[in-house]
Amino acid sequence: EPEVTQTPSHQVTQMGQEVILRCVPISNHLYFYWYRQILGQKVEFLVSFYNNEISEKSEIFDDQFSVERPDGSNFTLKIRSTKLEDSAMYFCASSETKKQYFGPGTRLTVT
Amino acid sequence: SQELEQSPQSLIVQEGKNLTINCTSSKTLYGLYWYKQKYGEGLIFLMMLQKGGEEKSHEKITAKLDEKKQQSSLHITASQPSHAGIYLCGADGGANSKLTFGKGITLSVRP
């Protein structure tokens, strides 16, 4: 079965630094999502993306966050100036119709 | 906003026993998804239920959607250690919309 892939699997960064998390969605999918999960907590929606623009975003997705589809395959999440509370697992998902396929996640640790 | 409550919070069963876990929504359910997660890892899709009364099975796992109760149940028959993990339910607000997740149920299966 096709898979969503994410890189890196683990990223450690210092507070205030910029990070870019990368995702390769399934090739024929048109809808893309980012979610995050702080350790021990719920999986929370961040943003959805369709037709090269954001279709929905949550309150968490503030000006520090941005998403981009720089080419035909990658989908990125950028955090401009990381905070300690950004430490979490970040999941990318993609869908063709309804079913969302999740990637394995990137564990972001902000020190 | 939609809230999903999962019960019980955690469950320990003896291998070979049957079990049922539940997911109750605060709002009308349009699509209900079950995912399984190993601690600190990605989400593995189990099943998607779209219509009231719908029931789906995969191997020893059966999920049902009760539209009137705004609830889904997931039943595992003859549990095995491989069933251990965190079971998450997620609900969408329509096609290609974000998923809202419950807190998850941690299942342990004793050999």
Coordinates of all heavy atoms in Angstrom, one line a residue, chain A residues 24-79:
Chain A
V24 N 6.3 13.7 2.3 CA 6.0 13.4 0.9 C 4.7 12.6 1.0 O 4.6 11.5 1.4 CB 7.1 12.5 0.3 CG1 6.7 12.1 -1.1 CG2 8.4 13.2 0.3
P25 N 3.6 13.3 0.6 CA 2.3 12.7 0.6 C 2.2 11.6 -0.5 O 3.0 11.5 -1.3 CB 1.3 13.8 0.2 CG 2.1 15.1 0.5 CD 3.5 14.7 0.2
I26 N 1.1 10.9 -0.5 CA 0.9 9.8 -1.5 C 0.6 10.5 -2.8 O -0.1 11.6 -2.8 CB -0.3 8.9 -1.1 CG1 0.1 8.1 0.2 CG2 -0.7 8.0 -2.2 CD1 -1.0 7.3 0.9
S27 N 1.2 10.0 -3.9 CA 1.3 10.8 -5.1 C 0.0 11.3 -5.8 O 0.0 12.4 -6.3 CB 2.1 10.0 -6.2 OG 1.4 8.8 -6.5
N28 N -1.1 10.6 -5.7 CA -2.3 11.1 -6.4 C -3.2 11.8 -5.4 O -4.4 12.2 -5.8 CB -3.0 9.9 -7.1 CG -3.5 8.9 -6.1 OD1 -2.8 8.7 -5.0 ND2 -4.5 8.2 -6.3
H29 N -2.8 12.1 -4.2 CA -3.6 12.8 -3.2 C -3.5 14.3 -3.4 O -2.5 14.8 -3.8 CB -3.2 12.4 -1.8 CG -3.6 11.0 -1.4 ND1 -3.4 10.5 -0.1 CD2 -4.1 10.0 -2.1 CE1 -3.8 9.3 -0.1 NE2 -4.3 8.9 -1.2
L30 N -4.7 14.9 -3.1 CA -4.8 16.4 -3.3 C -4.9 17.2 -2.0 O -4.8 18.4 -2.1 CB -5.9 16.6 -4.3 CG -5.9 16.0 -5.6 CD1 -7.1 16.3 -6.4 CD2 -4.6 16.5 -6.4
Y31 N -5.3 16.5 -1.0 CA -5.5 17.1 0.3 C -4.4 16.8 1.3 O -4.1 15.6 1.5 CB -6.9 16.7 0.9 CG -8.0 17.1 0.0 CD1 -8.4 16.2 -1.0 CD2 -8.7 18.3 0.1 CE1 -9.5 16.5 -1.9 CE2 -9.8 18.6 -0.8 CZ -10.1 17.7 -1.8 OH -11.2 18.0 -2.6
F32 N -3.9 17.8 2.0 CA -2.8 17.6 2.9 C -3.0 18.2 4.2 O -3.7 19.2 4.3 CB -1.5 18.1 2.2 CG -1.3 17.7 0.8 CD1 -1.3 18.7 -0.2 CD2 -1.1 16.4 0.4 CE1 -1.2 18.4 -1.5 CE2 -1.0 16.1 -0.9 CZ -1.0 17.1 -1.9
Y33 N -2.5 17.6 5.2 CA -2.8 18.0 6.6 C -1.5 17.9 7.4 O -0.7 17.1 7.2 CB -3.8 17.1 7.2 CG -5.1 16.9 6.4 CD1 -5.1 15.9 5.4 CD2 -6.2 17.6 6.6 CE1 -6.2 15.7 4.6 CE2 -7.4 17.4 5.9 CZ -7.3 16.4 4.9 OH -8.5 16.2 4.1
W34 N -1.5 18.8 8.5 CA -0.5 18.6 9.5 C -1.2 18.5 10.9 O -2.2 19.3 11.1 CB 0.5 19.8 9.6 CG 1.6 19.7 8.6 CD1 1.6 20.4 7.4 CD2 2.8 18.9 8.6 NE1 2.8 20.1 6.7 CE2 3.5 19.2 7.4 CE3 3.3 18.0 9.5 CZ2 4.7 18.6 7.1 CZ3 4.5 17.4 9.2 CH2 5.2 17.7 8.0
Y35 N -0.8 17.6 11.7 CA -1.3 17.5 13.0 C -0.1 17.4 14.0 O 1.0 17.1 13.6 CB -2.1 16.1 13.2 CG -3.4 16.0 12.4 CD1 -3.4 15.7 11.0 CD2 -4.6 16.3 13.0 CE1 -4.5 15.5 10.3 CE2 -5.8 16.1 12.3 CZ -5.7 15.8 10.9 OH -6.9 15.6 10.2
R36 N -0.4 17.6 15.2 CA 0.7 17.4 16.2 C 0.1 16.7 17.4 O -1.1 16.8 17.7 CB 1.3 18.8 16.6 CG 0.6 19.5 17.6 CD 1.4 20.7 18.2 NE 0.6 21.4 19.2 CZ 1.0 22.5 19.8 NH1 2.0 23.2 19.3 NH2 0.3 23.0 20.7
Q37 N 1.0 16.1 18.1 CA 0.7 15.4 19.4 C 1.7 15.6 20.4 O 2.9 15.1 20.3 CB 0.5 13.9 19.1 CG 0.0 13.1 20.3 CD -0.2 11.6 20.0 OE1 0.6 11.1 19.2 NE2 -1.2 11.0 20.6
I38 N 1.4 16.4 21.4 CA 2.3 16.6 22.5 C 2.2 15.3 23.3 O 1.2 14.7 23.5 CB 1.8 17.8 23.4 CG1 2.0 19.1 22.5 CG2 2.6 17.9 24.7 CD1 1.4 20.3 23.2
L39 N 3.4 14.9 23.9 CA 3.5 13.6 24.5 C 2.4 13.4 25.6 O 2.2 14.3 26.4 CB 4.9 13.6 25.2 CG 5.3 12.2 25.7 CD1 5.4 11.2 24.5 CD2 6.6 12.3 26.5
G40 N 1.7 12.3 25.4 CA 0.6 12.0 26.3 C -0.7 12.7 26.1 O -1.6 12.5 26.9
Q41 N -0.8 13.5 25.1 CA -2.0 14.2 24.8 C -2.7 13.8 23.5 O -2.2 12.9 22.8 CB -1.7 15.7 24.8 CG -1.2 16.2 26.2 CD -1.1 17.7 26.3 OE1 -1.8 18.5 25.5 NE2 -0.3 18.2 27.2
K42 N -3.8 14.5 23.2 CA -4.5 14.2 22.0 C -3.7 14.6 20.7 O -2.9 15.5 20.7 CB -5.8 15.1 21.9 CG -6.9 14.7 22.8 CD -8.1 15.6 22.5 CE -9.2 15.4 23.6 NZ -10.3 16.2 23.2
V43 N -4.1 14.0 19.6 CA -3.6 14.4 18.3 C -4.5 15.6 18.0 O -5.7 15.6 18.0 CB -3.8 13.3 17.3 CG1 -3.5 13.8 15.9 CG2 -3.0 12.1 17.6
E44 N -3.8 16.7 17.6 CA -4.5 18.0 17.4 C -4.3 18.5 15.9 O -3.1 18.4 15.4 CB -4.0 19.1 18.3 CG -4.1 18.9 19.7 CD -3.3 19.9 20.5 OE1 -2.1 20.0 20.5 OE2 -4.0 20.7 21.2
F45 N -5.3 18.9 15.3 CA -5.2 19.4 13.9 C -4.5 20.8 13.9 O -4.7 21.6 14.8 CB -6.6 19.6 13.4 CG -6.7 20.4 12.1 CD1 -6.4 19.8 10.9 CD2 -7.2 21.7 12.2 CE1 -6.5 20.6 9.8 CE2 -7.3 22.5 11.0 CZ -7.0 21.9 9.8
L46 N -3.6 21.0 13.0 CA -2.9 22.2 12.8 C -3.5 23.0 11.5 O -4.0 24.1 11.6 CB -1.4 22.0 12.6 CG -0.6 21.6 13.8 CD1 0.8 21.4 13.4 CD2 -0.8 22.5 15.0
V47 N -3.4 22.3 10.4 CA -3.7 23.0 9.1 C -4.0 22.0 8.0 O -3.5 20.8 8.1 CB -2.5 23.9 8.7 CG1 -1.3 23.0 8.4 CG2 -2.8 24.8 7.6
S48 N -4.9 22.4 7.1 CA -5.2 21.6 5.9 C -4.8 22.4 4.7 O -4.9 23.7 4.8 CB -6.6 21.1 5.9 OG -7.5 22.1 6.0
F49 N -4.5 21.8 3.6 CA -4.0 22.5 2.4 C -4.5 21.8 1.2 O -4.5 20.6 1.1 CB -2.4 22.3 2.5 CG -1.7 23.2 1.6 CD1 -1.3 24.5 1.9 CD2 -1.2 22.7 0.3 CE1 -0.6 25.3 1.0 CE2 -0.5 23.5 -0.5 CZ -0.1 24.8 -0.2
Y50 N -5.0 22.6 0.3 CA -5.6 22.1 -0.9 C -5.4 23.1 -2.0 O -5.6 24.3 -1.8 CB -7.1 21.7 -0.8 CG -7.8 21.4 -2.1 CD1 -7.6 20.2 -2.7 CD2 -8.7 22.3 -2.6 CE1 -8.2 19.9 -3.9 CE2 -9.4 22.0 -3.8 CZ -9.1 20.8 -4.4 OH -9.7 20.5 -5.6
N51 N -5.1 22.7 -3.2 CA -5.0 23.5 -4.4 C -4.0 24.7 -4.1 O -4.3 25.9 -4.4 CB -6.4 24.1 -4.8 CG -6.4 24.5 -6.2 OD1 -5.6 24.1 -7.0 ND2 -7.3 25.4 -6.4
N52 N -2.9 24.4 -3.4 CA -1.9 25.4 -3.1 C -2.3 26.5 -2.2 O -1.6 27.5 -2.2 CB -1.3 26.0 -4.4 CG -0.3 25.0 -5.1 OD1 0.5 24.4 -4.4 ND2 -0.4 25.0 -6.4
E53 N -3.3 26.2 -1.4 CA -3.6 27.2 -0.3 C -4.1 26.5 0.9 O -4.6 25.4 0.8 CB -4.5 28.3 -0.9 CG -5.8 27.8 -1.4 CD -6.7 28.9 -1.9 OE1 -6.1 29.9 -2.5 OE2 -7.9 28.8 -1.8
I54 N -4.0 27.2 2.0 CA -4.6 26.7 3.2 C -6.1 26.7 3.2 O -6.7 27.7 2.8 CB -4.1 27.6 4.4 CG1 -2.6 27.4 4.7 CG2 -4.9 27.3 5.7 CD1 -2.0 28.3 5.7
S55 N -6.7 25.6 3.5 CA -8.2 25.5 3.5 C -8.7 25.7 4.9 O -9.9 26.2 5.0 CB -8.7 24.2 2.8 OG -7.9 23.1 3.2
E56 N -8.0 25.3 5.9 CA -8.4 25.5 7.2 C -7.2 25.5 8.2 O -6.3 24.7 7.9 CB -9.4 24.3 7.7 CG -10.1 24.6 9.0 CD -11.1 23.5 9.3 OE1 -11.3 22.5 8.5 OE2 -11.7 23.6 10.4
K57 N -7.3 26.2 9.2 CA -6.2 26.2 10.2 C -6.8 26.3 11.6 O -7.9 26.9 11.8 CB -5.2 27.2 10.0 CG -5.7 28.7 10.0 CD -4.6 29.6 9.7 CE -5.1 31.1 9.7 NZ -4.0 32.1 9.5
S58 N -6.1 25.8 12.6 CA -6.6 25.8 14.0 C -5.9 27.1 14.7 O -5.1 27.7 14.1 CB -6.2 24.6 14.7 OG -4.8 24.5 14.9
E59 N -6.4 27.3 15.9 CA -5.8 28.4 16.7 C -4.4 28.2 17.0 O -3.6 29.1 17.2 CB -6.6 28.5 18.0 CG -8.0 28.9 17.9 CD -8.8 28.9 19.2 OE1 -8.2 28.4 20.2 OE2 -9.9 29.4 19.2
I60 N -3.9 26.9 17.0 CA -2.5 26.7 17.3 C -1.6 27.2 16.1 O -0.5 27.7 16.3 CB -2.3 25.1 17.4 CG1 -3.2 24.5 18.4 CG2 -0.8 24.8 17.7 CD1 -3.2 23.0 18.4
F61 N -2.2 27.2 14.9 CA -1.4 27.5 13.7 C -1.3 29.0 13.6 O -2.1 29.7 12.9 CB -2.1 26.9 12.5 CG -1.2 26.9 11.3 CD1 -0.3 25.9 11.0 CD2 -1.3 28.0 10.4 CE1 0.5 25.9 9.9 CE2 -0.5 28.0 9.2 CZ 0.4 27.0 9.0
D62 N -0.4 29.6 14.4 CA -0.3 31.1 14.4 C 0.8 31.5 13.4 O 1.2 30.8 12.6 CB 0.0 31.6 15.8 CG 1.3 31.1 16.4 OD1 2.2 30.7 15.6 OD2 1.4 31.0 17.6
D63 N 1.2 32.8 13.5 CA 2.1 33.4 12.5 C 3.5 32.7 12.6 O 4.3 33.0 11.6 CB 2.2 34.9 12.8 CG 1.0 35.6 12.5 OD1 0.1 35.0 11.8 OD2 0.8 36.8 13.0
Q64 N 3.7 31.9 13.6 CA 5.0 31.2 13.6 C 5.1 30.1 12.7 O 6.2 29.5 12.4 CB 5.3 30.7 15.1 CG 5.5 31.8 16.1 CD 6.7 32.7 15.7 OE1 7.8 32.2 15.4 NE2 6.6 34.0 15.8
F65 N 3.9 29.6 12.3 CA 3.8 28.4 11.4 C 3.5 28.8 10.0 O 2.8 29.8 9.7 CB 2.7 27.5 11.9 CG 2.9 26.9 13.2 CD1 2.5 27.5 14.4 CD2 3.5 25.6 13.3 CE1 2.8 26.9 15.6 CE2 3.7 25.0 14.5 CZ 3.3 25.6 15.7
S66 N 4.1 28.1 9.0 CA 3.7 28.2 7.6 C 3.8 26.9 7.0 O 4.5 26.0 7.4 CB 4.6 29.3 6.9 OG 5.9 28.8 6.9
V67 N 3.1 26.7 5.9 CA 3.1 25.5 5.1 C 3.4 25.8 3.7 O 3.0 26.9 3.2 CB 1.8 24.6 5.2 CG1 1.7 24.0 6.6 CG2 0.6 25.4 4.9
E68 N 4.0 24.8 3.0 CA 4.3 25.1 1.6 C 4.3 23.8 0.8 O 4.7 22.7 1.4 CB 5.7 25.8 1.5 CG 6.0 26.4 0.2 CD 7.4 27.1 0.3 OE1 8.3 26.6 1.0 OE2 7.6 28.0 -0.5
R69 N 4.0 23.8 -0.4 CA 4.2 22.7 -1.3 C 5.2 23.2 -2.4 O 4.7 23.7 -3.4 CB 2.9 22.2 -1.9 CG 2.9 20.9 -2.6 CD 1.6 20.3 -2.6 NE 1.5 19.3 -3.7 CZ 1.9 18.0 -3.6 NH1 2.6 17.6 -2.5 NH2 1.7 17.2 -4.6
P70 N 6.4 23.1 -2.1 CA 7.4 23.7 -3.0 C 7.6 23.1 -4.4 O 8.0 23.7 -5.3 CB 8.7 23.6 -2.2 CG 8.5 22.4 -1.3 CD 7.1 22.4 -1.0
D71 N 7.2 21.8 -4.5 CA 7.3 21.1 -5.7 C 6.1 20.2 -5.8 O 5.2 20.2 -5.0 CB 8.6 20.5 -5.9 CG 9.0 19.6 -4.7 OD1 8.1 18.8 -4.3 OD2 10.1 19.6 -4.3
G72 N 6.1 19.3 -6.8 CA 5.0 18.4 -6.9 C 4.9 17.3 -5.9 O 4.0 16.5 -5.9
S73 N 6.0 17.1 -5.1 CA 5.9 16.0 -4.2 C 6.0 16.3 -2.7 O 5.4 15.6 -1.9 CB 7.1 15.0 -4.6 OG 8.3 15.6 -4.5
N74 N 6.7 17.4 -2.4 CA 6.9 17.7 -0.9 C 5.9 18.6 -0.4 O 5.3 19.4 -1.1 CB 8.3 18.3 -0.7 CG 9.4 17.3 -0.9 OD1 9.7 16.5 -0.1 ND2 10.1 17.4 -2.1
F75 N 5.6 18.4 0.9 CA 4.7 19.3 1.7 C 5.4 19.6 3.0 O 5.8 18.7 3.7 CB 3.4 18.6 1.9 CG 2.4 19.4 2.7 CD1 2.0 20.7 2.3 CD2 1.7 18.8 3.7 CE1 1.1 21.4 3.0 CE2 0.7 19.5 4.4 CZ 0.4 20.8 4.1
T76 N 5.7 20.9 3.2 CA 6.5 21.2 4.4 C 5.8 22.1 5.4 O 4.9 22.8 5.1 CB 7.8 22.0 4.0 OG1 7.4 23.2 3.4 CG2 8.6 21.2 3.0
L77 N 6.2 21.9 6.7 CA 5.7 22.7 7.8 C 6.9 23.4 8.3 O 7.9 22.8 8.7 CB 5.1 21.9 8.9 CG 4.7 22.6 10.1 CD1 3.5 23.5 9.9 CD2 4.3 21.6 11.2
K78 N 6.9 24.8 8.4 CA 8.0 25.6 8.9 C 7.5 26.2 10.2 O 6.4 26.8 10.3 CB 8.4 26.6 7.9 CG 9.6 27.5 8.4 CD 9.8 28.7 7.6 CE 10.3 28.5 6.2 NZ 10.7 29.7 5.5
I79 N 8.4 26.1 11.2 CA 8.2 26.9 12.5 C 9.3 27.9 12.5 O 10.5 27.5 12.6 CB 8.2 25.9 13.7 CG1 7.2 24.8 13.5 CG2 7.8 26.7 14.9 CD1 7.3 23.7 14.6

